[in-house]
Amino acid sequence: MTQNIVETQTKSVNGKNKTYSINFVQGEQAMITCTYKGEKRDRKNLNRVPYINSHGKKAVQITGWLGIFLGIVIFIGLFIALDYLVSLNFEESTYYLIIFIGSYGGVDVCYIGNCLLCKVKYVEATRCKRCRKNYAYEEREEPDVKEVSTESSCIVTITRHWRCKKCGYIDSSESHENIKTYRGLKAIKRATRKVKCEKCGRAGFNFEFKYPDVKSGSFGMKGVETTTRYYKCNSCGNINIAEEESEYDTGFLDFL
């Protein structure tokens, strides 16, 4: 079995410079490797977690679960308060005010708790391997992201580069983080006719030669879903790659 590297593409997709290496195995199966720079994680909210410097992961977990528990208590208290106000025949405007304040407070507290729990693995990775201090690592540069897409799967690996702010130790770590991948559905044929080949410029000759990759990651109440489609030009054989991004709302227990 031999592999033939068909081509390497470097293109700007959604403001990110991505390099695609396209391989075919025996002219049948395709393996596409994409590499690019990701984004550093925002530590601003995590810095406010009580005892995070001394307890690291445990402090984030406890604070996150307390946030979700408190949010649920607020919702339960909201229904109890409404039931009590109904028995006292309060004005209808009072009910709306209580519902608004209670719902906003409950959702907001649950959101904070969920955001913390979604970042537990990140905080765990910031423990220095040399001095053993919790939450000591800081990212020294943007992480390297690698996506490997085959006919049956898509694997995303993120390599983050660390420097310990306590002892200066340099380190790196690999993980899949909170990213889920699955196979999408091919677009209908008339939709692919609108795709213009980046090499020969012809339109109407492209078709999806493999199922698209769908990647999703949720960090709190908002998530981002990215669909990567792979088109092949019937005219010149060039592989055209396109991405679509969309945001979606997540529930506060979506991390389970």
Side-chain angles (χ1 to χ4, degrees):
M1 182 181 294
T2 60
Q3 289 188 349
N4 177 35
I5 299 179
V6 177
E7 63 179 293
T8 299
Q9 299 180 9
T10 300
K11 56 195 297 185
S12 179
V13 181
N14 295 324
K16 301 175 183 176
N17 290 323
K18 298 187 175 184
T19 300
Y20 294 89
S21 297
I22 306 169
N23 300 265
F24 281 94
V25 180
Q26 292 184 337
E28 295 289 339
Q29 298 179 340
M31 182 177 74
I32 299 177
T33 303
C34 174
T35 57
Y36 58 96
K37 286 290 186 181
E39 296 179 0
K40 296 179 182 179
R41 281 292 184 87
D42 184 9
R43 298 165 66 102
K44 182 172 61 176
N45 291 330
L46 287 170
N47 288 334
R48 303 192 188 105
V49 176
Y51 305 108
I52 189 170
N53 290 313
S54 56
H55 293 84
K57 173 185 173 182
K58 290 182 181 178
V60 176
Q61 286 178 316
I62 293 172
T63 307
W65 280 114
L66 282 175
I68 290 179
F69 176 75
L70 180 59
I72 294 174
V73 169
I74 291 175
F75 280 116
I76 295 174
L78 172 63
F79 288 110
I80 295 175
L82 286 175
D83 184 63
Y84 177 71
L85 292 175
V86 168
S87 66
L88 296 178
N89 295 319
F90 269 75
E91 293 184 3
E92 189 173 331
S93 59
T94 305
Y95 302 148
Y96 291 129
L97 179 62
I98 296 296
I99 291 173
F100 175 77
I101 295 174
S103 299
Y104 180 81
V107 169
D108 197 44
V109 173
C110 283
Y111 169 78
I112 294 172
N114 182 41
C115 284
L116 291 174
L117 288 173
C118 285
K119 295 177 180 178
V120 166
K121 290 183 179 179
Y122 175 81
V123 174
E124 185 179 20
T126 63
R127 178 181 172 87
C128 181
K129 294 179 181 177
R130 186 165 72 177
C131 69
R132 314 306 295 174
K133 297 291 185 180
N134 284 311
Y135 202 55
Y137 278 172
E138 290 184 329
E139 290 191 76
R140 51 191 169 92
E141 61 181 85
E142 293 177 329
D144 295 309
V145 183
K146 181 179 181 181
E147 301 176 6
V148 179
S149 173
T150 64
E151 293 297 316
S152 59
S153 67
C154 178
I155 300 175
V156 181
T157 305
I158 299 177
T159 302
R160 295 193 180 273
H161 308 285
W162 309 101
R163 181 184 181 278
C164 179
K165 59 186 178 182
K166 304 293 184 180
C167 67
Y169 183 64
I170 302 297
D171 193 15
S172 296
S173 64
E174 281 188 2
S175 69
H176 303 300
E177 296 194 358
N178 194 36
I179 299 175
K180 302 174 184 178
T181 62
Y182 58 93
R183 280 284 172 270
L185 298 175
K186 292 182 179 180
I188 55 178
K189 289 185 176 181
R190 66 171 178 268
T192 61
R193 294 172 187 167
K194 300 177 182 178
V195 179
K196 186 176 181 180
C197 180
E198 296 174 351
K199 186 175 182 179
C200 69
R202 302 188 69 178
F205 290 88
N206 288 284
F207 67 96
E208 287 190 83
F209 74 95
K210 67 189 295 293
Y211 285 98
D213 296 313
V214 182
K215 303 177 289 292
S216 62
S218 58
F219 305 98
M221 290 299 189
K222 286 291 183 181
V224 177
E225 183 177 85
T226 304
T227 302
T228 306
R229 297 187 181 275
Y230 309 94
Y231 303 96
K232 188 173 183 179
C233 180
N234 270 330
S235 179
C236 68
N238 183 58
I239 305 298
N240 298 279
I241 302 171
E243 285 191 2
E244 308 162 0
E245 279 191 0
S246 60
E247 286 191 350
Y248 60 92
D249 294 323
T250 63
F252 68 86
L253 292 178
D254 203 56
F255 57 89
L256 294 176

